[in-house]
Structure formats: structure tokens, C-alpha cells
Amino acid sequence: MSLHYDLHSHSIISDGSLSPSELVRHAHQSGVDVLALTDHDTTDGLAEAGLEAARVGISLINGVEISVSWNKYTIHIVGLLAQVDNEILQQGLSGLREFRIWRAQEIAKRLHKAGIPDAYEGAQVYATGSIIGRVHFAKFLIEKEYARDMREVFKRFLVHNKPGYVNGQWASLEDTLRWIKAAGGIAVVAHPARYRFTATKLKLLLGEFKELGGVAMEVVSGNPTRDEIEHMSKRAQTQHLLASRGSDYHGPENAWLKMGRLQTIPASCQPVWEHEVWSSLLPAVIQQPAVVL
Ligand code: AMP
Ligand code: MN
Ligand code: MN
Ligand code: MN
């Protein structure tokens, strides 16, 4: 029987809603065998997640989802199997977290001008982990009834050209790959379909990514359509990238996205976990279950 891999997920350490232990338990109960915790710009949840994974008997892969500015776009690169005590990686992530604090203050200033006071303090109530992000502002705005749900609050306040939007000044693609490689990890392009790039632009990104030492791209991300999977598997093949798969789970409040339900990667692609680069890194960083049930 093949293992259920889910290589993209979030905890309350970034903008998810479950603690790392709760997330691991939920993954286990949902039939996930190998889980990567990939919080935004921090690895702080991995120690707790690793302990819980060993306790319940699933494999926990070290992960992080890095915020990147590429040309004028914000994209996300997932780092897997990195050594978390690497200074180059940690310094890089720490710079991004500092930018997040500056950006949060700036978002609050702009919301204030738009007639919404105290958003910084309001968002901080929800940002109990290691980073502050737009989701924390979203939760505050919903609490104050400026919008009904996540979808609406982003659309009305937190995206480009809306009152609470501040341009990201994230890591360069080059630095991101440098940090992940310095820590001995492998880089994966997160949710490529979500950028809504033209074929030409996506090809440019994947080409640059591969050139810089990138290894894989998510071919199955979230709850994709068959067409999306087909399209992304073709891109992966053309660009000679391995295929990854992840739910991007943020918590049970997103009722339409369940863990343990990920579709399989098409046979035409090579899953990242079947490549020798994966098995060569595995013994060093995987948190092996204490008891295999
Ligand atoms: P940030 O990195 O702080 O700019 O926030 C990005 C995060 O916001 C993503 O990882 C998602 O969790 C969330 N997000 C972005 N766009 C939306 C949206 N339209 N609806 C709901 N959540 C979103
Ligand atoms: Mn998120
Ligand atoms: Mn993302
Ligand atoms: Mn994510």
C-alpha cells in the first residue's frame, strides 16, 4: 500500500489555526502517513510537531514556506528536509519576519486612514505564533464585522488596490534558493496554479528556479481540478522538475479543504519522495515514529 504524503501545511505558529501537535494528530487521524509542516517564514513549530509525530506514529518532514518577491509578484517557495539549526536559513527567515512586523504596522496605518482603528493590536490578538500576516488582520476585521468571511475580507481589504494592502518586499528567488541549499534542503515551487501566470511567465519562473538549483514543483496542491493537475504535470515534465503534493491545510474552519484527501500525482511525473535526493536527505532530518503501528 502506498503512503499518503502531504508536503504542505500550516499551524498557529504562522497563519494556521491548529497548534503543531493538534495539526499532527489531525493529519494522523485523516490518514496522512508523511506530513511536512511548512509554516510561513518560520520553522518554530517543527520541534513540537516532531515530538507529537513520534508519539502518534507518523513521519514529520521539516518544512518552511518562504515568501518571495519575483519580478513584481509575490510567490511562495517551500523548503523541505532542511536542517533547521542552519544559520544562513535562520538569518534569512528572521529578516522576513522583521519585514512582516513593519508591514503589519503599515497595514494598520492604512486601515486607520480608511476609518478602521486599532487594527495592529487587533491582529496581534490572533498572531500568537512567530509571525504576523494578513490572515491575522482578516480575523480581526471579521470579528469587527467589516466582512463576513475570509474570502470577502481579503477581496475588500487585503489585496492589491484595497485599503489594507502593502506591497511585499520579500526574499529574492536567488537568496531563497541559497538559504534552502545552505541548510541542505530541497526547494519546491508552491501552488504554481494560484499565481495565474501566463504560460510564458510560468515557464520563465520555473526556468529560473531550476537554474538556481530548484528541485520540484507542486503538481497537486489543495483541491485542484483534473485539468490543473494535468497542466502542472506537463509543466513539471517540460522543465525537468520533480512533482510534489500538498494540501496547504490551514485549519478546520476551511470546510472545503480536508486533510488526507489529496489526489495522486500522474504517473508521467516523478514524485519528489521517490527520487534519490529525497532518500539521501531523509535519515538526517526525518522524525522517525517511535512506534510503527
Ligand atoms: P501573507 O503572507 O501575510 O501576505 O498572507 C498570505 C496568506 O494569506 C496565504 O498563505 C493564505 O493563508 C492567506 N490568503 C491569501 N489570499 C487569500 C484569500 N483570497 N482568501 C483567504 N486567504 C487568503
Ligand atoms: Mn497562509
Ligand atoms: Mn502559499
Ligand atoms: Mn501555504
Side-chain angles (χ1 to χ4, degrees):
M1 206 190 78
S2 66
L3 297 176
H4 191 98
Y5 282 81
D6 185 341
L7 301 179
H8 189 148
S9 69
H10 296 274
S11 76
I12 202 158
I13 301 300
S14 66
D15 58 10
S17 58
L18 300 181
S19 73
S21 307
E22 288 167 339
L23 176 78
V24 165
R25 280 199 294 276
H26 181 62
H28 175 58
Q29 284 156 8
S30 310
V32 174
D33 301 295
V34 184
L35 175 75
L37 171 60
T38 56
D39 274 317
H40 299 282
D41 306 324
T42 177
T43 59
D44 291 351
L46 292 173
E48 182 189 320
L51 286 174
E52 190 64 12
R55 214 181 62 75
V56 301
I58 72 170
S59 296
L60 193 272
I61 301 289
N62 286 350
V64 61
E65 182 175 18
I66 302 182
S67 311
V68 176
S69 293
W70 180 73
N71 295 334
K72 50 186 194 310
Y73 307 98
T74 295
I75 62 159
H76 289 166
I77 300 290
V78 162
L80 296 174
L81 298 169
Q83 303 280 352
V84 293
D85 59 358
N86 181 271
E87 249 179 59
I88 295 172
L89 175 66
Q90 290 305 337
Q91 263 181 22
L93 297 180
S94 151
L96 293 175
R97 292 195 296 270
E98 272 168 38
F99 170 71
R100 282 182 172 279
I101 294 170
W102 177 86
R103 183 188 68 158
Q105 289 161 346
E106 205 55 35
I107 289 175
K109 274 188 210 162
R110 292 184 197 193
L111 288 175
H112 189 92
K113 274 188 203 149
I116 301 172
D118 304 324
Y120 188 69
E121 296 72 19
Q124 257 177 338
V125 171
Y126 294 100
T128 56
S130 299
I131 65 140
I132 185 159
R134 281 186 290 167
V135 166
H136 306 119
F137 281 93
K139 287 181 175 170
F140 161 75
L141 290 166
I142 293 168
E143 171 204 315
K144 295 289 176 204
E145 298 182 345
Y146 289 102
R148 274 167 311 187
D149 54 34
M150 276 285 162
R151 211 189 156 96
E152 187 191 339
V153 77
F154 266 85
K155 204 169 151 193
R156 288 184 48 203
F157 295 98
L158 298 169
V159 295
H160 197 51
N161 286 330
K162 299 297 164 169
Y165 184 76
V166 177
N167 235 333
Q169 293 154 38
W170 307 109
S172 67
L173 192 59
E174 216 173 341
D175 282 346
T176 303
L177 271 286
R178 192 167 54 75
W179 303 341
I180 293 172
K181 286 191 291 180
I186 56 181
V188 183
V189 176
H191 43 63
R194 207 176 306 161
Y195 311 130
R196 307 205 174 282
F197 284 169
T198 60
T200 315
K201 194 147 284 152
L202 184 59
K203 192 164 173 233
L204 189 68
L205 168 65
L206 298 177
E208 277 183 37
F209 173 75
K210 172 91 185 168
E211 189 94 336
L212 291 166
V215 168
M217 61 183 269
E218 289 178 353
V219 165
V220 176
S221 163
N223 197 2
T225 63
R226 221 178 275 179
D227 276 0
E228 239 168 55
I229 298 178
E230 193 55 34
H231 180 219
M232 288 307 156
S233 70
K234 283 201 182 114
R235 295 276 71 76
Q237 283 167 265
T238 317
Q239 305 290 327
H240 304 288
L241 291 166
L242 301 173
S244 186
R245 179 174 99 148
S247 60
D248 204 1
Y249 184 81
H250 279 72
E253 67 280 8
N254 302 331
W256 60 92
L257 187 83
K258 304 255 186 260
M259 265 193 155
R261 302 256 181 97
L262 281 163
Q263 294 157 73
T264 51
I265 288 175
S268 50
C269 290
Q270 186 172 29
V272 62
W273 57 83
E274 282 177 10
H275 196 268
E276 61 188 20
V277 67
W278 184 267
S279 39
S280 70
L281 290 171
L282 213 47
V285 282
I286 198 170
Q287 322 269 346
Q288 290 293 352
V291 189
V292 180
L293 299 171

